[in-house]
Amino acid sequence: DTAVSQTPKYLVTQMGNDKSIKCEQNLGHDTMYWYKQDSKKFLKIMFSYNNKELIINETVPNRFSPKSPDKAHLNLHINSLELGDSAVYFCASSQVQGAVQPQHFGDGTRLSIL
Amino acid sequence: AQKVTQAQTEISVVEKEDVTLDCVYETRDTTYYLFWYKQPPSGELVFLIRRNSFDEQNEISGRYSWNFQKSTSSFNFTITASQVVDSAVYFCALSERNFGNEKLTFGTGTRLTIIP
């Protein structure tokens, strides 16, 4: 069983379009994240949600809007796509408890803007 | 602010050699957690280890070992008798304890190539 699953795996689209990436986790975790990995492999947090509530928003443009319908899902909607949005987007989840727990990552969504 | 530095951008070694990947971190917190993740060519991120700031014991898991030294703010990773399957990008990461506001700050990664 896949613990953290993202769809689609690849997304190729034109500049200016709107697109969504879906993420689901079946680990029972209460916190989910979105990270962006650029072409140089640098990984940076974008958002985190805890029990459907936005916790972290790391100065990401307003064109990016995360939505968490329940604690097992965290989707990412991107408006007016730009060339600089081309990257691999990773969803992750963890359980927040006494100690900081490892984050478990999905396989990533490779977004290419033409 | 927290920061992780992986000074080695790329390393190549011949199979069966030992290799150490360096990680140096900066944080103002006394409670923090360090991680290593592996990203093979297939692209997924695989969790390898977590260490908290109060536990400086070295850890060994098969061919992998980790050396945590608070005095030098380092958390180095050694692969013994390397194999081709170890070829990947390895990331060191840091998380401060922030009561629900935890986030991973990653280093820039070290690309390890094992030559058969």
Side-chain angles (χ1 to χ4, degrees):
Chain A
D1 280 347
T2 305
V4 182
S5 59
Q6 298 178 226
T7 54
K9 191 171 175 64
Y10 300 97
L11 191 49
V12 181
T13 189
Q14 303 237 333
M15 209 163 49
N17 283 351
D18 303 339
K19 289 293 178 186
S20 292
I21 306 171
K22 294 186 176 182
C23 180
E24 176 182 3
Q25 55 96 3
N26 63 6
L27 297 167
H29 290 162
D30 55 18
T31 304
M32 295 184 72
Y33 311 80
W34 279 108
Y35 287 84
K36 179 180 180 180
Q37 185 173 43
D38 64 21
S39 58
K40 296 187 175 164
K41 295 283 192 179
F42 183 60
L43 274 156
K44 186 169 167 53
I45 182 118
M46 299 173 69
F47 301 102
S48 79
Y49 269 73
N50 180 272
N51 277 318
K52 304 191 296 176
E53 182 184 346
L54 178 66
I55 303 295
I56 295 174
N57 182 342
E58 284 283 306
T59 60
V60 177
N62 290 338
R63 300 182 295 104
F64 290 79
S65 52
K67 287 199 170 42
S68 182
D70 54 61
K71 73 174 193 176
H73 295 83
L74 180 61
N75 304 322
L76 184 64
H77 188 76
I78 316 170
N79 289 327
S80 304
L81 281 157
E82 301 177 356
L83 288 175
D85 298 332
S86 293
V88 180
Y89 292 84
F90 284 96
C91 177
S93 73
S94 70
Q95 185 65 23
V96 177
Q97 52 191 55
V100 173
Q101 300 300 317
Q103 293 181 19
H104 297 265
F105 286 81
D107 288 345
T109 296
R110 183 175 293 278
L111 174 61
S112 300
I113 310 302
L114 302 177
Chain B
Q2 52 193 43
K3 184 179 176 183
V4 176
T5 301
Q6 294 180 254
Q8 304 152 308
T9 307
E10 296 192 27
I11 300 176
S12 294
V13 299
V14 176
E15 197 173 17
K16 297 184 184 173
E17 286 186 356
D18 299 347
V19 58
T20 294
L21 310 183
D22 297 335
C23 173
V24 173
Y25 62 91
E26 294 175 30
T27 177
R28 283 178 285 194
D29 277 14
T30 55
T31 303
Y32 53 89
Y33 296 78
L34 295 161
F35 302 81
W36 276 95
Y37 283 84
K38 174 182 180 180
Q39 187 172 38
S42 48
E44 71 272 24
L45 282 160
V46 179
F47 164 72
L48 295 178
I49 189 171
R50 177 195 67 171
R51 214 78 182 127
N52 75 54
S53 51
F54 299 109
D55 184 0
E56 284 194 76
Q57 281 195 0
N58 291 335
E59 179 147 346
I60 299 174
S61 175
R63 296 183 296 106
Y64 295 173
S65 62
W66 290 269
N67 180 260
F68 175 30
Q69 291 198 336
K70 286 177 78 168
S71 60
T72 55
S73 297
S74 64
F75 186 43
N76 296 337
F77 173 29
T78 297
I79 301 175
T80 304
S82 60
Q83 299 177 2
V84 172
V85 293
D86 296 326
S87 295
V89 180
Y90 290 86
F91 292 95
C92 182
L94 167 70
S95 178
E96 293 167 345
R97 182 70 176 100
N98 204 6
F99 304 100
N101 197 20
E102 288 85 9
K103 62 180 181 181
L104 284 173
T105 296
F106 285 88
T108 48
T110 297
R111 182 180 298 277
L112 176 64
T113 302
I114 309 299
I115 303 165

